[in-house]
Structures are given as C-alpha cells and as structure tokens.
Amino acid sequence: FMNKQIKFAILGIALVQILLTVGLLVLPSITRELPGEMRVRLARLPIGETLLEIGVTPLPSALPAPSGAIERSQITIPTIAAATPTPRTTPTVLAAKFKRVQVDEIREINEPTPVPTSTATPAATATPLPLPDQARIEGMKIIVQGFNNCGPANLTINLGFYGNTSTQAEVAAFLKPNREDRNVSPWQMVDYVNGQTDMRAFVGSGGDLELIKRLVASGFPVVIEKGYELQGQGWLGHYLTIFGYDDDEEQMVSLDTNLGPWDGSGRYDSYEEIEKYWQQFNNTFFVVYPPDKEGQLFGILGSEMLDETTMWHNAAQDA
C-alpha cells in the first residue's frame, strides 16, 4: 500500500496536468479578447505566439464583398471635360551642387506656372529649375512611435520641425481616441493640422520621385504612405518622413519612427524600393507647412496636383 504522501503527490501531478490541458485550450480564446498592444507583448515572450495562438494582428482571412460588387466589377476612368492631361515627363536633373537646406533658409526651387491670360497669345510655361544632385533638410528630429502610432508620430515630427509644440500623445488622442484603431489616414491628419493647429497641410495622390525631390530641395519634408514588410510580421502599412535624397546613390533619406536609427541620421532606401512600396498606397503623400509658405508650396505642386479632379485622374492612370 502506498503511503499518503505518494498518493497526494500522484494526485497533485494529475491535477497540474489537467489544469495545464484546460489552460492551453482556454487561453487562446481569452488572449484574443485582450487589447492589441497586450497581445503583441505576450507574443514576444518565449513560445508565447505558438502556445497561445495569439496572432499579432488577427484579421479575417477575407473581407466580405460589398453588395453588388460582381455587377459593378468594371470601373471606367472618366475623361476630364476641359482636356485630357498629357503624359507627364520627368525633367533631367543637371545640377551637381550638393545642397543642404537649413530650417531658417528655405529657397524656392520652382517658380509658379503663370496663369493664362485672356489674349490670343499662348501663355508661357515656367521651366522648372534644375535640381541639385543631393539635398538634405537640417533640423529634423526623430521620435519613437507608440503602438500602431506611426501616423501621429510622423505628424508630430513635421509639426515640430516648424516649431509647433504638439506632442505625439496629444495628436494620437485626437486622431485615434480608440487605442485599438490600427490606422490613421492621411486626410485625417491633414484635417487635424488645418483645424487644430496654426499650421497648414496638403494631401495628394499620384506623386512621383521628382516631386518629392523638388519639395525636399525647397525645404519641405514630405510624409509618404507606403507598404512595409517586416520579418515575422508580414505586410503592414506605414508612414515615412522623407527629408533628403541623393541622385548619385539613388537613395531617399527618411525618418522611420519604428526602426530608427534614433540618432537622426536617417534611413536610406533606394529609389526603386521607395517606388515599389509607395505605389501600394497610390503614391499618396502629405506636406505640413507654415501659412506664409503656401504660395511657394503650391508653385511646386503645380496646377494638375492642386486640381482634385485632374489629380485623381492622373493617379488612376498611373495605377
């Protein structure tokens, strides 16, 4: 006959095994109800992702199709009543001078296109000035983003560049009062700037590398919305603040609020890489600027980008 101690030991082991089995069956459903930030932290624990089946960003395998989607499967891009835009060409970059743009010294690279007159004589079109081969805006300060917070973080960087004291927490509290909100769209951030601060902002789609270069060379940081692939996490959406470029190396310089580097030196991505992932968001960008720089900015953007109908028509053609 076994003594009582052995009996209790066997019973204890059996109870532990039962509790572990029940726990492994129940824990996944419990953890799926936790806030996203807590799920991500638990998944980083040893074998946490495997045992708990947490899923960093659990989403349905397929979204339901909108009603009538099959019948409306064909989309036609309407022509613009006034005129069909002519194909855009990229001017050749000729200048070889390296240019650094200081915070207090923003030089205009582009002249606004003159407004056509009512006379029969064709209006002259301003020729864009040659761009420097390299340009970098000085005075940009990177910050670390909070959870799913690349939008508010990048917006805070750009507001801070012009002296606005808004914090990432203040911006995020307004843009995503629900911390579980995974996305903040560019137009939401532009609305925030235009309605809640003393700064202004413009959002557009269908941009290109030439436009980014002209903006940067004129002292305007540019935020792009792009695809983002991280090992172990798959595809994500992300924002980058571009503040420099180098034609010799064919690279853009940006501030990445998720990966750094945190010394402010900038992340370097090839033109090819930027174009590939930027296109996944329809080459969408936004620019924060002081009100007194609006004329300069609009001159760089050009009439086709400023006219919403033409902008979307061009973006659709590019897509």
Side-chain angles (χ1 to χ4, degrees):
F1 291 89
M2 291 183 290
N3 59 40
K4 290 184 177 180
Q5 288 182 337
I6 296 176
K7 289 181 179 179
F8 283 129
I10 294 173
L11 181 61
I13 292 172
L15 286 174
V16 169
Q17 289 177 330
I18 293 172
L19 289 174
L20 285 174
T21 301
V22 173
L24 290 175
L25 293 173
V26 174
L27 275 177
S29 60
I30 295 176
T31 54
R32 278 194 288 270
E33 299 303 317
L34 294 174
E37 186 170 3
M38 292 181 66
R39 290 199 304 272
V40 170
R41 293 186 185 280
L42 285 173
R44 290 171 179 165
L45 297 174
I47 68 173
E49 172 74 18
T50 302
L51 287 181
L52 302 182
E53 301 175 8
I54 293 170
V56 174
T57 53
L59 294 171
S61 57
L63 296 176
S67 91
I70 297 177
E71 292 80 0
R72 301 194 304 268
S73 59
Q74 297 298 317
I75 298 174
T76 302
I77 303 172
T79 57
I80 297 174
T84 301
T86 56
R88 291 170 290 171
T89 59
T90 301
T92 303
V93 177
L94 301 176
K97 179 183 177 183
F98 185 94
K99 179 184 177 186
R100 288 183 176 271
V101 184
Q102 302 294 334
V103 178
D104 57 352
E105 181 235 333
I106 299 177
R107 181 171 66 85
E108 185 170 359
I109 290 293
N110 238 13
E111 292 295 332
T113 302
V115 178
T117 62
S118 58
T119 62
T121 305
T125 302
T127 302
L129 297 176
L131 284 168
D133 287 345
Q134 300 93 10
R136 182 187 180 99
I137 300 172
E138 299 297 335
M140 302 293 297
K141 296 180 180 179
I142 191 169
I143 60 177
V144 182
Q145 71 179 63
F147 181 69
N148 280 344
N149 226 36
C150 63
N154 278 274
L155 182 54
T156 304
I157 287 173
N158 283 263
L159 287 170
F161 173 66
Y162 293 107
N164 185 281
T165 58
S166 299
T167 66
Q168 179 181 180
E170 292 169 346
V171 173
F174 185 91
L175 291 173
K176 41 183 294 187
N178 176 6
R179 285 174 58 87
E180 289 299 286
D181 188 351
R182 294 190 181 98
N183 175 72
V184 174
S185 297
W187 63 265
Q188 291 176 296
M189 290 187 279
V190 167
D191 283 353
Y192 171 81
V193 174
N194 291 336
Q196 303 296 321
T197 77
D198 57 351
M199 304 297 294
R200 301 292 296 166
F202 173 87
V203 60
S205 291
D208 55 28
L209 295 186
E210 176 74 12
L211 178 58
I212 290 181
K213 292 177 188 178
R214 292 201 169 275
L215 290 167
V216 168
S218 296
F220 294 100
V222 186
V223 182
I224 64 170
E225 187 177 23
K226 64 185 287 292
Y228 199 54
E229 292 188 64
L230 299 177
Q231 187 174 2
Q233 296 188 44
W235 186 94
L236 306 162
H238 195 46
Y239 290 101
L240 284 181
T241 294
I242 296 180
F243 70 107
Y245 68 87
D246 186 336
D247 280 338
D248 294 339
E249 299 294 331
E250 296 190 342
Q251 291 178 329
M252 288 287 179
V253 191
S254 65
L255 298 178
D256 188 331
T257 59
N258 184 46
L259 295 179
W262 308 115
D263 60 1
S265 58
R267 163 180 168 162
Y268 289 76
D269 291 296
S270 68
Y271 289 169
E272 182 180 4
E273 190 87 350
I274 290 292
E275 288 187 305
K276 173 184 175 181
Y277 288 103
W278 191 22
Q279 189 274 335
Q280 294 171 0
F281 279 93
N282 208 24
N283 289 35
T284 295
F285 67 96
F286 72 86
V287 182
V288 175
Y289 61 94
D292 61 351
K293 296 291 182 183
E294 186 163 277
Q296 179 187 0
L297 174 67
F298 285 5
I300 298 169
L301 293 172
S303 58
E304 290 193 0
M305 184 61 69
L306 295 174
D307 180 80
E308 192 171 7
T309 302
T310 306
M311 178 197 74
W312 284 117
H313 189 275
N314 288 337
Q317 284 187 319
D318 288 346

